[in-house]
Amino acid sequence: MKVKSDVCIVGSGPGGALLAYLLAKQDISVVLLERHPEFSREFRGEFLNDEGEGILKKHGLFNSVEKLGLLRMEQIEYWHDGQIFKTIFPEWPVDHVGIHVPQNHLLTAILNEAEKLDSFQLMMNTRVTGLMQNEMGRFTGVKARNGGNDLEVQSPLIIGADGRFSIVRKKAGIPVEIKDHGYDLLWAKIPAPEGWRPSIKMALVNGSQVALFTQAGGFIQIGWNIEHGSFPHLRKQHFEPFIEDLLLAFPELKKVVCENIRSWQDFILLDVYSSYCETWTKDGVALLGDAAHTMTPTGAFGLNCAMKDADILAELISGCILQGDTGFLGLKMAEPKRKAEIERLQAVQVDKEMSFASKFAAAYV
């Protein structure tokens, strides 16, 4: 099977889906490839900051997302020995300190709008296997498997929006620099106790950061920093003392934690690192989101950065097409400004991670 499009986007996460919609809305033909057969997977980066919220509102998508379900955080709390000692409230006129959006709600809202457009085509259960090149070495499309069938998508521009393990980045030969941040993250999801206010709660447990994020649907997501590579050793130890430390920090969780976290298997391990590509474009290929610059969970920048990439790329790509820039050189020329912003945010993440314990202790004193 062969398909032609102006742009082929690989990866239907928030960045890829948003870019596909914004391009299709301008009558630019887009094929969006997603390797999974459905969007009902568990996600961990689902926190909208004011920039991500602004992008959705700019493109008339926020109300659709809200109808499907989201949750505004009322405050950020810092806890020690089971007590709040510092609270941060939203600053007027904003009524929240962030928004939790289930990623399937976000994707559904975007793709529902995209599927109304004739210039948009979504192909699920489609795994990219390689890139096609012409005699000049320029990439001209992708090879993939759609279900059990071979597929070729011919396109003058390929967008790699396929995450930290990007196959597009790999096949295009774009080098990536990996930075170890010295910690991994244990995730767990539990029901929120009755009367739990939508909030973000922080604590320092045995020198490690623990964060609780309230989620839409009546849940709490626990994020517990542990030393990088320590989980195999940690899980050989008794489980109960580990959980007792969590309950000393947040006594309200005792009942729901005891009912829902009963072994190490109830945690999901996230290997934490950031990555950075010196170039985000190469001969008909452009990267966005985690494929170009993986962010750590600190500050919840990842989702929002991917959507900002999409917002900026949509304008640049349409400009290139209108100006007859068939080599999409405009994408390369605009790259330095966006890269500088990502470098700044990654530096902010490092600073927050390195200074959390000292700033937490200083605030408590």
Side-chain angles (χ1 to χ4, degrees), residues 216-251:
F219 292 95
I220 297 170
Q221 183 183 71
I222 301 172
W224 194 326
N225 291 14
I226 61 172
E227 185 180 349
H228 178 64
S230 67
F231 191 54
H233 173 72
L234 186 62
R235 66 184 303 164
K236 293 177 182 178
Q237 302 176 19
H238 290 296
F239 180 71
E240 290 75 12
F242 187 77
I243 289 300
E244 286 171 4
D245 288 337
L246 174 65
L247 299 181
L248 286 173
F250 300 107

Side-chain angles (χ1 to χ4, degrees), residues 55 74 78 82 110 116 223 238 246 249 294 296 301 310 325 354:
I55 290 170
E74 297 177 359
Y78 290 84
I110 296 171
K116 298 175 184 177
H238 290 296
L246 174 65
T294 302
T296 72
F301 293 127
D325 177 8
M354 297 288 289

Side-chain angles (χ1 to χ4, degrees), residues 164 169 176-181 272-276 294:
R164 56 162 64 184
R169 184 183 67 208
V176 59
E177 180 181 337
I178 304 295
K179 179 179 177 60
D180 175 17
H181 286 241
V272 174
Y273 63 82
S274 63
S275 71
Y276 187 82
T294 302

Side-chain angles (χ1 to χ4, degrees), residues 192-198 252:
E194 187 175 350
W196 188 269
R197 297 186 66 179
E252 295 175 84

Side-chain angles (χ1 to χ4, degrees), residues 291-359:
H293 47 75
T294 302
M295 314 297 282
T296 72
T298 301
F301 293 127
L303 164 63
N304 302 279
C305 285
M307 292 201 301
K308 186 168 184 179
D309 284 352
D311 187 37
I312 293 172
L313 273 175
E315 294 184 12
L316 293 173
I317 291 169
S318 62
C320 289
I321 291 174
L322 285 172
Q323 295 167 21
D325 177 8
T326 56
F328 293 93
L329 298 177
L331 301 188
K332 187 70 174 177
M333 293 173 63
E335 189 178 287
K337 184 176 179 180
R338 184 71 186 125
K339 286 172 64 177
E341 171 67 4
I342 293 299
E343 288 176 355
R344 183 186 70 82
L345 291 176
Q346 289 187 331
V348 168
Q349 289 189 313
V350 171
D351 178 67
K352 285 180 177 290
E353 291 160 358
M354 297 288 289
S355 64
F356 180 82
S358 61
K359 288 182 178 179

Side-chain angles (χ1 to χ4, degrees), residues 55-251:
I55 290 170
L56 292 178
K57 289 181 175 178
K58 171 184 175 182
H59 298 294
L61 294 165
F62 187 82
N63 288 343
S64 298
V65 177
E66 188 167 22
K67 287 178 182 177
L68 293 171
L70 52 75
L71 185 66
R72 292 171 172 84
M73 301 296 107
E74 297 177 359
Q75 57 202 50
I76 301 173
E77 302 169 359
Y78 290 84
W79 287 63
H80 181 76
D81 287 343
Q83 300 290 328
I84 301 174
F85 69 88
K86 181 181 180 182
T87 305
I88 298 174
F89 296 100
E91 296 183 7
W92 189 88
V94 179
D95 64 352
H96 59 273
V97 294
I99 301 175
H100 174 254
V101 180
Q103 190 157 303
N104 61 331
H105 292 184
L106 178 59
L107 294 177
T108 298
I110 296 171
L111 295 174
N112 280 349
E113 293 301 313
E115 287 172 345
K116 298 175 184 177
L117 305 170
D118 292 337
S119 48
F120 172 80
Q121 183 178 3
L122 171 64
M123 303 185 76
M124 302 291 291
N125 197 27
T126 302
R127 185 181 296 272
V128 171
T129 57
L131 304 182
M132 297 184 291
Q133 292 177 277
N134 61 19
E135 63 278 2
M136 302 298 292
R138 183 173 182 82
F139 296 102
T140 58
V142 306
K143 295 182 178 181
R145 291 283 292 175
N146 175 240
N149 302 312
D150 290 329
L151 168 70
E152 288 186 2
V153 181
Q154 298 175 0
S155 175
L157 181 61
I158 304 158
I159 304 293
D162 48 343
R164 56 162 64 184
F165 304 113
S166 173
I167 188 68
V168 172
R169 184 183 67 208
K170 180 179 179 181
K171 295 296 184 180
I174 298 176
V176 59
E177 180 181 337
I178 304 295
K179 179 179 177 60
D180 175 17
H181 286 241
Y183 73 99
D184 294 328
L185 203 57
L186 291 181
W187 290 108
K189 185 175 181 178
I190 59 175
E194 187 175 350
W196 188 269
R197 297 186 66 179
S199 59
I200 302 166
K201 304 179 190 293
M202 302 283 189
L204 196 63
V205 178
N206 293 330
S208 296
Q209 180 179 348
V210 176
L212 307 181
F213 298 91
T214 313
Q215 294 188 313
F219 292 95
I220 297 170
Q221 183 183 71
I222 301 172
W224 194 326
N225 291 14
I226 61 172
E227 185 180 349
H228 178 64
S230 67
F231 191 54
H233 173 72
L234 186 62
R235 66 184 303 164
K236 293 177 182 178
Q237 302 176 19
H238 290 296
F239 180 71
E240 290 75 12
F242 187 77
I243 289 300
E244 286 171 4
D245 288 337
L246 174 65
L247 299 181
L248 286 173
F250 300 107

